[in-house]
């Protein structure tokens, strides 16, 4: 990148290249890295906002997930991926085309996808003779794979097959984990953490009590995980808290645990490290005066004061007869002062 | 009698309450662990495998789910509520399950050169308004950017200052000045970034590499010497150092309109040379040069067999010489680009 500088007039800054700063140390920089370091400046405000949204932040928003279809996938797997995508909309991207990727052997392709789409959770579905109806749940830290769990689908009931009304898209679900395996076994603990991360939804400060409609229930028993999703019906009970009735809804899976790849303890700890001092965001243009009133600033267009619309007081309106009397009075006064 | 009736009343009240809460109470061996911030509940109770048979499995799971959800909802209803636009909303506490971050925490950026200076001097940042009143257009305009209040570039009239050259192009001068300012700003911005990431920035044409050849070191020394306020005029030479002769402008052009007599003389000389019968090429000199070249080549070819030994011997000598001379500054005889004079 050549910096614009006037040549020939003795300008000191003419003609040097930016690459000399970076190439000597990191020749393999990709375009995104150059943007991230601030060397290549964004040309429009929109692109600047886009790059800012991808930067690491103090408090993170909702994690997006990418749902990828593998090299060969059966009807079950495709339908399962579509159902999970429906659950996770709008913070999910679905890659329907076949991707010849083997996550457990080589995860660079997944990392590349996550970098491009800025997603930290992924769900990879595939099917082959050795591992039929395979789903891999995983998450990333800094665009490198943190945890991956391979679950095989034994039984699957899709959204389409269950003919009840569903709750609206994007509702935060209630999560329930049952089974002592989730407490005792280390792998199950990590899986519980991953499933919480995957399905928990946006972080909110308050929730509408009547809107708690969706519940996802995970049961762990003998190396198998049963995932069910129900719609919550709040019925009247004698007191304030309602009585719950559940209605079958949504996809239900019977998973069997297959391989997994868990992050090492220190990588896991690094991923949890929180930054110091999260400052509350200040709202602009709001100030308070001594009395506690809220003040803001408005920039007005130029107003024509003659044409201002004020309150019309009929009694104060000048009438023609009065006007002439006034002028006469004024004229009478003037010669008196002269004298 | 009264005491009996009071007891009766209390017992009746208890029974009534139990009736009311019957709908929502669930009996469990172990209490569930709740995380209301994430709307999460964790049931640690053992699941009876006998009831988990094929035909009754769904019902068992559903009843288990119902119980757990009831307990979670009871927990939710205990949270403090407030009314937001006619909707009852429960305020959630912070989530207690530690979930890993997406990306590592952002590192605080090291301060730029100006920020360091401002901190040193105690200069505070003054909050400026976004819009400024423009008298010319009689409206509020941005302070900088597209359609700004005082736009220098849009002026159609520039007064020529008294001491300026009348033939100078003022508009072009202004444009050039702006370009220089933009380039300087960009340069400083990149220097700030390089300082923040601790990358060594090359000075003008001198990129530091781990092993620098002798010539580059010599060049670096010369550049360092003239990088003083008086451009190296008062820098003394080291004991055996020679001042480099070839610095300065490589080509010198005569001004367009200068000394008329010298120009006339030059042109007359040129005509004389063109006129003369003597050939420009001195044949004897050229022939001598060619003969010398041929001699040198043949000598090299014959020396090839002995050349290797000789070279080895030379190298050891050179090595010693170099080691001895490391302390001193490299002599000015290092390879330097040949500066050609204006005339040949």
């Amino acid at each position: 990148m050549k910096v614009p500088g006037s040549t020939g007039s003795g300008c000191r800054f003419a003609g040097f290249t930016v690459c000399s700063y970076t190439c000597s140390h990191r020749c393999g920089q990709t375009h995104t890295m150059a943007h991230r370091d601030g060397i290549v400046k964004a040309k429009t405000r929109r692109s600047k906002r886009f790059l800012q949204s991808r930067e690491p932040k103090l408090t993170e928003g909702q994690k997006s997930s990418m749902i990828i279809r593998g090299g060969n996938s059966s009807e079950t797997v495709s339908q399962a991926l579509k159902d999970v995508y429906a659950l996770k909309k709008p913070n999910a991207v679905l890659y329907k085309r076949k991707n010849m990727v083997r996550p457990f052997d080589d995860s660079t392709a997944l990392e590349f996808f996550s970098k491009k789409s800025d997603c930290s959770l992924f769900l990879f579905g595939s099917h082959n003779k050795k591992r039929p109806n395979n789903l891999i749940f995983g998450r990333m830290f800094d665009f490198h794979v943190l945890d991956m769990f391979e679950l095989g689908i034994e039984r699957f009931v899709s959204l389409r097959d269950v003919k009840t009304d569903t709750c609206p898209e994007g509702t935060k679900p209630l999560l329930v984990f049952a089974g002592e395996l989730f407490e005792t076994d280390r792998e199950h603990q990590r899986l519980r953490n991953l499933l919480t991360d995957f399905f928990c939804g946006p972080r909110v400060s308050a929730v509408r009590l009547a809107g708690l409609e969706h519940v996802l229930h995970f049961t762990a028993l003998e190396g198998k995980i049963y995932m069910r999703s129900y719609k919550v019906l709040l019925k009247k009970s004698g007191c304030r808290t309602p009585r719950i009735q559940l209605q079958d809804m949504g996809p239900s899976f019977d998973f069997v645990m297959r391989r997994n790849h868990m992050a090492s303890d220190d990588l896991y700890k690094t991923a949890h490290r929180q930054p110091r001092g999260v400052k509350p965001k200040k709202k602009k243009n709001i100030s308070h005066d001594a009395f506690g009133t809220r003040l803001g600033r408005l920039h007005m267009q130029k107003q024509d004061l003659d044409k201002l619309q004020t309150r019309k007081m009929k009694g104060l309106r000048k009438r023609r007869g009065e006007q002439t009397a006034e002028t006469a009075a004024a004229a009478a006064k003037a010669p008196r002062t002269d004298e | 009698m009264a005491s009996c009736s009071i007891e009766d009343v209390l017992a009746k009240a208890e029974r009534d309450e139990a009736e009311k809460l019957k709908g929502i109470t669930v009996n469990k061996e172990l209490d569930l662990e709740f995380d209301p911030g994430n709307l999460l509940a964790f049931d640690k109770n053992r699941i009876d495998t006998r009831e988990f048979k094929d035909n009754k499995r769904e019902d068992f799971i559903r009843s288990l789910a119902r119980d757990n959800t009831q307990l979670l909802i009871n927990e939710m209803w205990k949270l403090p509520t407030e009314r937001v636009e006619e909707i009852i909303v429960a305020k959630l506490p912070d989530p207690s399950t530690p979930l890993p971050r997406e990306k590592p925490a952002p590192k605080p950026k090291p301060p730029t050169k100006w920020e360091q200076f401002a901190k040193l001097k105690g200069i505070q940042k003054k909050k400026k308004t976004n819009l400024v009143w423009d008298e010319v257009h009689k409206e509020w305009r941005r302070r900088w950017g597209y359609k700004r209040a005082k736009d220098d570039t849009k002026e159609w009239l520039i007064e020529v200052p008294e001491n300026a050259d009348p033939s100078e192009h003022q508009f072009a001068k202004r444009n050039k000045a702006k370009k220089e300012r933009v380039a300087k700003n960009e340069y400083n911005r990149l220097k700030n970034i390089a300082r923040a990431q601790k990358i060594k920035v090359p000075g003008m044409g001198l990129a530091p590499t781990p092993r620098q050849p002798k010539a580059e070191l010599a060049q670096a020394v010369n550049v360092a010497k003239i990088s003083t306020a008086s451009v190296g005029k008062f820098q003394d030479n080291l004991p055996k150092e020679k001042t480099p002769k070839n610095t300065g402008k490589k080509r010198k052009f005569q001004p367009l309109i200068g000394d008329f007599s010298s120009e006339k003389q030059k042109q007359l000389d040129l005509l004389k040379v063109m006129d003369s019968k003597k050939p420009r090429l001195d044949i004897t000199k050229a022939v001598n040069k060619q003969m010398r070249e041929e001699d040198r080549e043949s000598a090299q070819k014959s020396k090839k067999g002995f050349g290797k030994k000789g070279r080895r011997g030379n190298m050891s000598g050179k090595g010693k010489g170099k080691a001895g001379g490391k302390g001193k500054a490299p002599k000015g005889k290092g390879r330097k680009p040949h500066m050609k004079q204006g005339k040949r």
Side-chain angles (χ1 to χ4, degrees):
Chain A
M1 185 190 109
K2 252 208 158 137
V3 172
S6 48
T7 50
S9 66
C11 171
R12 295 183 288 147
F13 310 105
F16 65 87
T17 54
V18 172
C19 283
S20 58
Y21 290 137
T22 54
C23 263
S24 57
H25 289 258
R26 342 163 174 171
C27 284
Q29 266 194 1
T30 57
H31 197 56
T32 44
M33 290 294 275
H35 271 289
R36 206 194 216 184
D37 296 332
I39 292 169
V40 182
K41 247 168 115 173
K43 289 230 170 100
T44 55
R45 204 167 263 187
R46 187 171 170 221
S47 57
K48 187 179 165 194
R49 266 185 275 136
F50 174 78
L51 286 175
Q52 271 181 348
S53 74
R54 292 218 168 170
E55 269 178 23
K57 299 177 200 89
L58 280 175
T59 43
E60 285 180 339
Q62 194 178 0
K63 292 191 188 182
S64 328
S65 53
M66 49 184 187
I67 302 175
I68 312 174
R69 193 184 155 198
N72 200 9
S73 54
S74 58
E75 181 65 38
T76 331
V77 169
S78 313
Q79 194 55 48
L81 293 177
K82 275 190 213 161
D83 283 351
V84 175
Y85 175 61
L87 272 181
K88 284 229 63 171
K89 270 202 243 189
N91 297 87
V93 271
L94 175 66
Y95 292 123
K96 274 196 275 190
R97 296 237 188 112
K98 292 189 187 180
N99 293 298
M100 296 295 201
V101 180
R102 293 201 171 81
F104 277 93
D105 296 333
D106 178 27
S107 45
T108 46
L110 279 178
E111 291 172 5
F112 173 74
F113 283 147
S114 103
K115 211 178 283 191
K116 279 290 170 183
S117 58
D118 195 29
C119 296
S120 59
L121 301 166
F122 67 89
L123 173 60
F124 182 83
S126 67
H127 173 80
N128 46 23
K129 205 164 175 193
K130 193 171 173 193
R131 286 174 237 277
N133 298 335
N134 213 15
L135 284 184
I136 303 180
F137 284 87
R139 61 186 163 189
M140 307 254 187
F141 174 69
D142 198 19
F143 305 121
H144 293 293
V145 169
L146 186 68
D147 290 329
M148 275 195 291
F149 278 86
E150 193 173 45
L151 302 168
I153 305 175
E154 286 196 335
R155 193 178 144 269
F156 165 58
V157 178
S158 140
L159 260 174
R160 286 190 303 182
D161 299 338
V162 181
K163 303 266 194 308
T164 51
D165 41 307
T166 54
C167 52
E169 208 175 79
T171 42
K172 199 166 152 77
L174 298 164
L175 296 166
V176 183
F177 290 88
E180 56 185 7
L181 268 177
F182 274 132
E183 173 80 13
T184 51
D185 188 22
R186 197 165 155 265
E187 291 184 1
H188 279 82
Q189 276 178 351
R190 194 62 78 84
L191 179 62
R192 182 179 120 215
N193 196 302
L194 194 142
L195 289 171
T196 320
D197 211 358
F198 204 88
F199 288 110
C200 79
R203 190 175 150 174
V204 283
S205 57
V207 72
R208 187 171 144 249
L209 285 176
L212 296 169
E213 293 176 320
H214 188 112
V215 63
L216 287 170
H217 190 264
F218 298 89
T219 325
L221 195 71
E222 294 162 358
K224 293 203 185 166
I225 306 207
Y226 302 92
M227 174 179 152
R228 300 282 179 272
S229 106
Y230 301 105
K231 185 169 163 144
V232 175
L233 304 167
L234 304 162
K235 301 285 181 195
K236 259 202 177 124
S237 78
C239 55
R240 191 172 153 250
T241 323
R243 189 182 154 74
I244 301 291
Q245 264 187 18
L246 295 182
Q247 195 182 32
D248 263 340
M249 180 196 84
S252 70
F253 295 92
D254 286 358
F255 289 126
V256 64
M257 291 262 284
R258 288 183 190 156
R259 298 182 288 181
N260 63 36
H261 167 86
M262 300 207 297
S264 59
D265 280 336
D266 36 329
L267 181 61
Y268 199 61
K269 248 189 225 173
T270 335
H272 280 269
R273 209 180 283 166
Q274 301 292 340
R276 281 187 280 162
V278 181
K279 280 178 284 182
K281 206 176 177 194
K282 226 184 156 191
K283 256 193 164 176
K284 283 189 187 177
N285 202 14
I286 295 178
S287 58
H288 296 268
D289 71 348
F291 298 102
T293 36
R294 275 171 96 204
L295 300 170
R297 245 193 121 149
L298 267 179
H299 291 104
M300 286 297 299
Q301 309 292 328
K302 187 160 172 113
Q303 287 178 317
D304 193 359
L305 291 168
D306 296 333
K307 297 196 183 117
L308 262 185
Q309 180 87 343
T310 51
R311 286 176 77 181
K312 294 174 192 168
M313 303 250 182
K314 253 192 176 173
L316 298 174
R317 213 196 293 173
K318 290 194 177 145
R319 285 196 202 115
R320 235 186 256 161
E322 280 182 21
Q323 215 168 26
T324 49
E326 271 185 26
T327 47
K333 267 190 185 172
R336 241 187 258 167
T337 51
D338 283 341
E339 282 173 54
Chain B
M1 293 300 143
S3 55
C4 279
S5 63
I6 289 171
E7 275 174 20
D8 282 338
V9 166
L10 283 172
K12 191 159 174 272
E14 257 188 64
R15 261 180 280 134
D16 281 341
E17 257 205 59
E19 276 281 327
K20 271 192 191 172
L21 292 173
K22 203 172 74 171
I24 59 167
T25 41
V26 175
N27 284 324
K28 287 267 185 181
E29 279 177 10
L30 286 169
D31 274 337
L32 306 198
E33 277 178 10
F34 294 107
D35 179 10
N38 265 330
L39 306 181
L40 183 77
F42 177 39
D43 178 14
K44 280 187 274 192
N45 291 306
R46 225 172 63 82
I47 302 170
D48 207 352
T49 40
R50 273 178 302 152
E51 296 186 28
F52 214 73
K53 281 174 226 158
D54 262 321
N55 43 0
K56 284 202 237 164
R57 190 181 284 169
E58 284 306 316
D59 296 330
F60 175 71
I61 295 179
R62 196 179 301 125
S63 63
L64 178 67
R66 199 220 76 84
D67 291 338
N68 287 336
T69 322
Q70 181 72 64
L71 288 167
L72 179 58
I73 291 284
N74 291 353
E75 195 63 32
M76 291 272 114
W77 251 254
K78 287 182 200 163
L79 293 171
T81 58
E82 62 176 17
R83 213 181 176 87
V84 173
E85 292 171 17
E86 297 144 21
I87 302 171
I88 301 174
V89 150
K91 290 183 79 152
L92 293 178
D94 286 333
S96 58
T97 338
L99 293 173
R101 281 176 65 97
E102 239 187 327
K103 297 170 191 148
K107 282 178 215 139
K109 283 195 283 193
T112 60
K113 197 98 193 275
W114 166 253
E115 281 171 9
Q116 285 173 4
F117 179 75
K119 211 166 92 171
L120 190 68
K121 285 273 190 171
I123 301 171
Q124 307 285 353
K125 237 187 183 179
K126 284 207 184 112
K127 181 85 180 167
K128 295 182 182 145
T129 56
N130 278 343
L131 302 176
V132 183
W133 178 251
D134 188 10
E135 267 305 320
V136 176
H137 294 96
K138 298 269 191 289
E139 59 178 3
W140 289 99
R141 280 196 162 189
R142 276 168 233 212
R143 193 181 286 274
W144 58 272
Y146 180 62
K147 284 192 189 159
R148 53 181 175 270
K150 292 183 210 167
D151 199 347
D152 231 7
T153 56
K154 295 276 190 279
E155 265 187 48
W156 51 270
L157 179 83
I158 304 177
E159 291 176 8
V160 178
E162 280 183 51
N163 51 357
D165 193 4
S167 67
E168 201 181 7
H169 205 267
Q170 294 295 330
F171 290 100
K173 184 173 155 197
R174 199 175 262 197
N175 284 341
K176 221 183 287 180
K178 177 156 176 112
K179 282 193 182 149
E180 283 198 19
R181 274 180 275 139
V182 167
K184 176 176 181 255
N185 196 5
E186 186 66 23
Y187 180 70
N188 284 332
R189 181 181 82 89
L190 292 169
K191 264 177 68 177
N192 273 327
I193 292 171
R195 193 184 309 114
Q197 295 172 358
K198 301 200 175 63
I199 302 171
K200 283 202 196 281
V201 174
M204 292 315 290
L206 300 166
T209 45
R211 209 171 295 165
Q212 282 174 309
K214 192 173 163 190
E216 279 195 18
L217 279 174
Q219 199 180 19
V221 164
N222 287 329
V223 170
K225 204 170 169 194
I226 61 170
S227 313
T228 58
S230 30
V231 204
K233 199 168 164 187
F234 303 109
Q235 298 301 105
D236 305 319
N237 276 347
L238 290 168
K240 282 192 187 171
E241 194 184 346
K242 286 185 221 167
T243 46
K245 291 185 290 181
N246 298 332
T247 52
K249 283 196 180 153
K250 294 183 196 179
R251 283 189 83 175
K252 196 173 178 186
F253 290 103
Q254 304 293 334
L256 273 178
I257 302 171
D259 196 5
F260 285 116
S261 55
S262 66
E263 194 181 326
K264 186 176 163 190
Q265 195 60 41
K266 262 194 243 161
Q267 293 193 347
L268 287 173
D269 287 341
L270 187 68
L271 285 170
K272 210 196 277 182
V273 165
M274 281 162 59
D275 240 4
S276 72
K277 301 285 192 286
K278 214 168 48 171
R280 198 75 174 120
L281 182 67
D282 193 354
I283 294 179
T284 43
K285 248 192 182 172
V287 167
N288 285 337
K289 219 179 187 178
Q290 182 72 14
M291 288 198 323
R292 245 183 289 139
E293 275 285 319
E294 284 174 8
D295 283 344
R296 214 181 290 155
E297 276 179 24
S298 55
Q300 268 194 353
K301 271 188 197 166
S302 62
K303 259 194 190 172
K304 236 189 183 177
F306 298 94
K308 283 185 187 168
K309 277 191 195 168
R311 242 177 270 149
R312 253 189 250 144
N314 270 353
M315 271 179 70
S316 58
K318 266 189 199 166
K320 279 188 198 159
K322 261 193 183 164
K326 243 187 202 173
K328 301 181 192 167
K331 300 190 178 174
K333 269 189 185 164
R335 254 188 310 113
K336 259 200 252 140
H338 286 288
M339 305 280 182
K340 293 205 172 105
Q341 303 293 330
K343 284 186 193 171
R344 278 196 209 170

